[in-house]
């Protein structure tokens, strides 16, 4: 499972939502061998006054938080971060300097999905990549 929350200035996210979603999902699929149909993205656009960050980041400053099942290798997590920077720069035009990424891993037993504990689900994809 990969739940993605994207934070940014409202006008930037509104203008680039689909491109951001496509770039993020492409990175997740490539780095984590993740199924195409498993896209879970939430966009939280804030007014400029409510999104405080250093001036050198630019108006397209974007924060990406991804919650993941624990179990991916360090190599896979590093690859995901690199793929995110690459796709966001190439596909959306956001310079790596204007992006911050946080990966948070928790055990499957800490997730409830489709009325079940995730530890009891057959996922249809591997977590140990």
């Amino acid at each position: 499972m990969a739940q993605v929350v994207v934070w940014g200035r409202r006008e930037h996210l509104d203008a680039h939502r689909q491109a951001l979603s496509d770039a993020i999902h492409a990175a997740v699929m490539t780095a984590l061998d993740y199924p195409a149909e498993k896209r879970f993205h939430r966009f939280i656009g804030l007014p400029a006054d409510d999104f405080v960050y250093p001036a050198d980041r630019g108006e397209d400053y974007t924060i990406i938080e991804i919650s993941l099942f624990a179990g991916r290798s360090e190599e896979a997590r590093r690859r995901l971060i690199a793929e995110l920077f690459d796709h966001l720069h190439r596909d959306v035009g956001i310079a790596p300097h204007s992006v911050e990424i946080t990966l948070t891993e928790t055990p499957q037993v800490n997730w409830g999905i489709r009325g079940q504990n995730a530890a009891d689900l057959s996922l249809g994809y591997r977590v140990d990549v």
Side-chain angles (χ1 to χ4, degrees):
M1 178 62 72
Q3 289 281 347
V4 180
V5 178
V6 181
W7 300 84
R9 289 178 62 156
R10 179 174 292 130
E11 62 273 10
H12 174 70
L13 294 185
D14 287 349
H16 301 284
R17 182 175 288 112
Q18 190 61 53
L20 281 160
S21 182
D22 291 346
I24 292 166
H25 198 55
V28 170
M29 288 190 306
T30 298
L32 303 182
D33 194 24
Y34 200 69
E37 69 276 6
K38 302 285 186 183
R39 187 184 300 218
F40 301 97
H41 299 170
R42 294 177 305 283
F43 293 85
I44 308 203
L46 299 168
D49 290 348
D50 290 334
F51 194 49
V52 179
Y53 53 87
D56 68 339
R57 297 302 196 271
E59 291 186 8
D60 59 353
Y61 176 65
T62 305
I63 298 171
I64 300 172
E65 299 174 343
I66 304 178
S67 298
L68 302 162
F69 291 153
R72 271 71 177 210
S73 66
E74 180 178 326
E75 178 184 338
R77 288 176 280 143
R78 287 177 173 274
R79 187 170 53 245
L80 175 56
I81 289 171
E83 289 284 340
L84 285 163
F85 283 131
D86 181 57
H87 279 277
L88 291 168
H89 190 223
R90 184 182 66 230
D91 303 340
V92 189
I94 304 173
H97 181 74
S98 293
V99 177
E100 291 190 21
I101 302 162
T102 303
L103 306 179
T104 303
E105 294 184 298
T106 55
Q108 282 180 247
V109 73
N110 289 3
W111 293 62
I113 303 169
R114 300 189 309 261
Q116 295 182 37
N117 188 285
D120 301 327
L121 286 175
S122 173
L123 298 174
Y125 60 92
R126 292 182 48 213
V127 173
D128 62 339
V129 295

